[in-house]
Amino acid sequence: MKILFSEEQLQQGISRMATEINQRFGHEPLTVICVMTGSIILVADLIRQLVMPVKLGSVHACSYRGGTSRSELELDASMLPNLEGSNVLIVDDIFDTGHTLTAVHQHIESLGATCVETAVLLYKHGREELDFQVNFIGFEIPDEFVVGYGLDYQGIYRNLPYVGVMESHDLAQDES
Ligand code: IMP
Ligand code: MG
């Protein structure tokens, strides 16, 4: 495992994002939607630096069943609060192909929110399949599989306090 962003670097990036979000929304109420499970740690750190009244909701999106390749997206939005007339910020851990954020964004817009913006900790370059504009980005990264600070490989590594790059000897032998 190679460390890509240390705890300190992550906190600097998150503070910068929080400042941008505070500037964008001022003191208007904001509903933050945590895209579970990967963004749970980011959301916890980010919302404590927001100055407006914040409501918190979540959706569960899952496109990785095990390894590092993408499968069909499953979206469970059954736990959302009422979003009609709200300013909404969808927060995900990473933008990779763009399928997750595009699907969550479309769904949230259909629920009558006034404004729907998006924030990700990491934006991975070279894998975008959909043309989607993310509003707030922590860090841009090359096309490498990363774990830690919420991001997992086969369900583990989410608790690492840093973001690391999986190296070939970290990946399971039998993954194809
Ligand atoms: P997308 O739908 O292809 O943009 O993928 C977004 C989702 O895939 C994220 O919410 C992550 O859960 C997962 N993902 C994409 N790249 C990585 C990675 O490098 N490490 C861990 N999870 C990833
Ligand atoms: Mg995810």
Side-chain angles (χ1 to χ4, degrees):
M1 185 85 65
K2 189 177 78 195
I3 295 185
L4 191 59
F5 300 112
S6 66
E7 272 186 85
E8 203 184 348
Q9 288 171 313
L10 289 171
Q11 290 312 317
Q12 283 168 2
I14 290 156
S15 294
R16 188 176 21 79
M17 281 170 89
T19 303
E20 290 171 15
I21 295 164
N22 285 329
Q23 280 167 358
R24 164 71 182 89
F25 292 100
H27 288 273
E28 285 176 47
L30 184 65
T31 301
V32 173
I33 303 294
C34 177
V35 182
M36 298 289 273
T37 304
S39 70
I40 189 163
I41 297 173
L42 169 64
V43 167
D45 281 347
L46 184 68
I47 61 172
R48 283 180 287 177
Q49 297 188 46
L50 299 182
V51 296
M52 68 290 283
V54 169
K55 281 188 189 170
L56 191 56
S58 65
V59 293
H60 198 280
C62 180
S63 58
Y64 281 88
R65 269 183 240 117
T68 58
S69 55
R70 222 177 62 82
S71 56
E72 188 83 355
L73 178 74
E74 282 172 23
L75 183 63
D76 179 356
S78 60
M79 301 285 282
L80 281 175
N82 179 11
L83 298 176
E84 255 171 76
S86 309
N87 289 335
V88 176
L89 180 70
I90 303 167
V91 180
D92 203 0
D93 49 4
I94 187 166
F95 185 98
D96 184 24
T97 63
H99 286 277
T100 303
L101 219 46
T102 304
V104 176
H105 189 275
Q106 269 174 10
H107 184 74
I108 302 279
E109 271 199 324
S110 76
L111 299 176
T114 304
C115 153
V116 186
E117 299 205 356
T118 53
V120 294
L121 179 69
L122 305 174
Y123 188 102
K124 200 188 278 191
H125 279 286
R127 303 219 340 134
E128 306 92 332
E129 289 178 8
L130 297 173
D131 188 18
F132 184 89
Q133 204 64 40
V134 181
N135 301 98
F136 306 96
I137 295 173
F139 304 92
E140 315 221 359
I141 64 167
D143 180 9
E144 286 180 297
F145 196 80
V146 289
V147 295
Y149 197 77
L151 292 140
D152 75 304
Y153 171 65
Q154 298 194 340
I156 57 172
Y157 300 118
R158 292 195 199 276
N159 56 316
L160 294 179
Y162 54 84
V163 169
V165 177
M166 298 286 296
E167 295 175 285
S168 52
H169 59 266
D170 296 318
L171 297 168
Q173 299 288 318
D174 59 357
E175 211 218 331
S176 53

